[in-house]
Amino acid sequence: MTELSKLPVTVITGFLGSGKTTLISHLLQNPGGRRLAVVVNEFGDVGVDGEILKGCALPDCPAENIMELANGCICCTVADDFIPTIEALMALEPRPDHILIETSGLALPKPLLKAFDWPDIRSRITVDGVIALADAEAVAAGRFAPNVAAVDAQRLADDSLDHDTPLSEVFADQIACADIILLTKPDLAGPDGVAKAMARIAQDAPRALPVVEVAEGAVDPRVILGLGAAAEDDIAARPSHHDDHDDHEHDDFESIVVDIPELADPAQLVNAIEGLARDHNILRVKGYASVAGKPMRLLVQAVGGRVRHQFDRAWRKDEPRQGRLVVIAEHDNIDAQVIGAALIPAPQLAQ
């Protein structure tokens, strides 16, 4: 690639916990001969995904090529955050061959594409493609809608009602903006679940889209990089629920950060998160925890009631052994007192 050619950018979008970070980790380790750079747009002020990716940095994508934007949605902070970040990556020596942007799970991708129309970067950057990840099990189960049965009942009773919930709109907008869909965790969904997820994707897609089943983020980079879609010139073909709005809103969702004390047993935390998902419609929990007697930090990632945890690295000498979790849900389901009481054991909460 010459200095005069446009630098390709791939936008990786997808609902909460769909596997975006896992995919990017795989691409970093299998770059297909490219020097990669990554921009991570977190929702909440604990940079979990960025730190995970920096932990797998390689010579072709060192830690300084991985940047985080935690001050809100990229497309809402174009001048202040996004453009300076892109320019900083383009100024690196050696210059990256390709930039990956991991959007927040709550992001609408189409407004982000409009950010690439800014004069400061349009002549130097092109959107090579938009990759949407869809969790096969979650899509098949309809978990992007708080109560699918109630929504369907309202649709049947009154066609004039706006039956799209915020979560279903996010999912539909991500699918409509994509060039390729990666259907993740097909093993958890099973053949029937995969079929249901495929049907939902076909329902939401405005045009025929390739759908590739992917487990643990393992996909050949030739499948999703180098598409040459120039998506910034193709915005009109990517319809959105929000096309008639001057701006898009994020008020449907909210996140809080909960500091948690050292755990005696990780199972205690897993049970608490499962209870929050079941009883209070919590969508996503991610962060770190300290376990008594263990020298390593516990990484926690939860989508609904499905909780995954593993020890990812040793605690550094210069950091407190303090657990921190980002909790994300729709606005009406965020109750800091209830969430704190669930995640912090009662005897320690009283201290």
Side-chain angles (χ1 to χ4, degrees):
M1 184 176 69
T2 69
E3 284 296 311
L4 295 178
S5 62
K6 288 188 176 184
L7 181 63
V9 172
T10 293
V11 176
I12 299 176
T13 186
F15 195 65
L16 299 167
S18 59
K20 299 186 297 294
T21 304
T22 302
L23 171 67
I24 294 175
S25 297
H26 175 79
L27 291 174
L28 293 183
Q29 297 173 59
N30 302 274
R34 297 174 175 84
R35 290 190 301 273
L36 298 178
V38 181
V39 178
V40 181
N41 190 202
E42 293 271 33
F43 188 87
D45 63 359
V46 177
V48 178
D49 296 345
E51 188 159 342
I52 292 172
L53 293 173
K54 289 177 181 177
C56 19
L58 297 169
D60 282 340
C61 185
E64 57 266 27
N65 283 34
I66 301 171
M67 296 190 176
E68 297 175 73
L69 294 177
N71 296 324
C73 169
I74 290 176
C75 49
C76 298
T77 58
V78 173
D80 294 336
D81 294 319
F82 179 55
I83 289 178
T85 297
I86 294 296
E87 289 179 335
L89 290 176
M90 294 181 69
L92 291 172
E93 292 291 344
R95 183 190 184 198
D97 298 316
H98 204 113
I99 297 176
L100 309 176
I101 297 181
E102 177 187 347
T103 71
S104 158
L106 304 174
L108 301 176
K110 188 169 180 177
L112 173 57
L113 293 187
K114 294 178 180 178
F116 286 93
D117 200 35
W118 277 56
D120 288 346
I121 59 174
R122 181 175 175 83
S123 63
R124 296 181 290 164
I125 293 285
T126 183
V127 182
D128 181 67
V130 178
I131 312 302
L133 276 66
D135 181 317
E137 185 185 37
V139 174
R143 282 202 298 267
F144 41 79
N147 188 330
V148 176
V151 169
D152 287 340
Q154 288 176 334
R155 182 190 295 127
L156 292 173
D158 187 347
D159 289 338
S160 69
L161 291 176
D162 181 8
H163 54 261
D164 281 325
T165 66
L167 295 183
S168 66
E169 287 185 4
V170 170
F171 177 77
D173 281 7
Q174 291 173 347
I175 296 300
C177 199
D179 295 290
I180 291 180
I181 311 297
L182 299 186
L183 195 62
T184 62
K185 308 170 191 173
D187 52 325
L188 296 178
D192 289 344
V194 168
K196 289 180 182 178
M198 291 276 198
R200 178 62 200 234
I201 289 169
Q203 174 186 324
D204 285 337
R207 60 196 180 282
L209 291 172
V211 180
V212 180
E213 294 181 38
V214 174
E216 298 297 330
V219 62
D220 190 321
R222 293 174 298 179
V223 174
I224 60 174
L225 302 183
L227 300 181
E232 71 276 14
D233 295 328
D234 189 36
I235 293 177
R238 301 166 192 259
S240 165
H241 287 86
H242 299 77
D243 284 342
D244 294 330
H245 297 262
D246 292 332
D247 280 313
H248 61 284
E249 300 289 343
H250 296 293
D251 294 343
D252 296 319
F253 306 99
E254 189 173 339
S255 71
I256 63 170
V257 177
V258 181
D259 292 329
I260 60 173
E262 192 167 69
L263 306 173
D265 183 355
Q268 178 183 21
L269 181 59
V270 171
N271 291 337
I273 293 172
E274 290 174 344
L276 284 171
R278 180 184 63 249
D279 301 330
H280 300 285
N281 296 320
I282 298 303
L283 302 173
R284 186 83 160 95
V285 178
K286 59 182 180 178
Y288 314 107
S290 174
V291 180
K294 302 294 184 181
M296 299 190 73
R297 188 182 66 174
L298 187 73
L299 175 66
V300 180
Q301 298 269 19
V303 182
R306 191 168 71 229
V307 186
R308 300 177 67 177
H309 58 86
Q310 66 188 65
F311 291 102
D312 69 329
R313 66 165 175 81
W315 288 97
R316 294 191 294 264
K317 292 181 179 180
D318 61 346
E319 65 180 341
R321 289 182 57 119
Q322 172 68 62
R324 301 197 82 195
L325 299 174
V326 177
V327 181
I328 305 173
E330 291 191 69
H331 178 77
D332 292 343
N333 294 322
I334 287 286
D335 185 322
Q337 186 172 359
V338 168
I339 294 169
L343 296 176
I344 304 173
Q348 300 185 56
L349 185 63
Q351 291 179 0

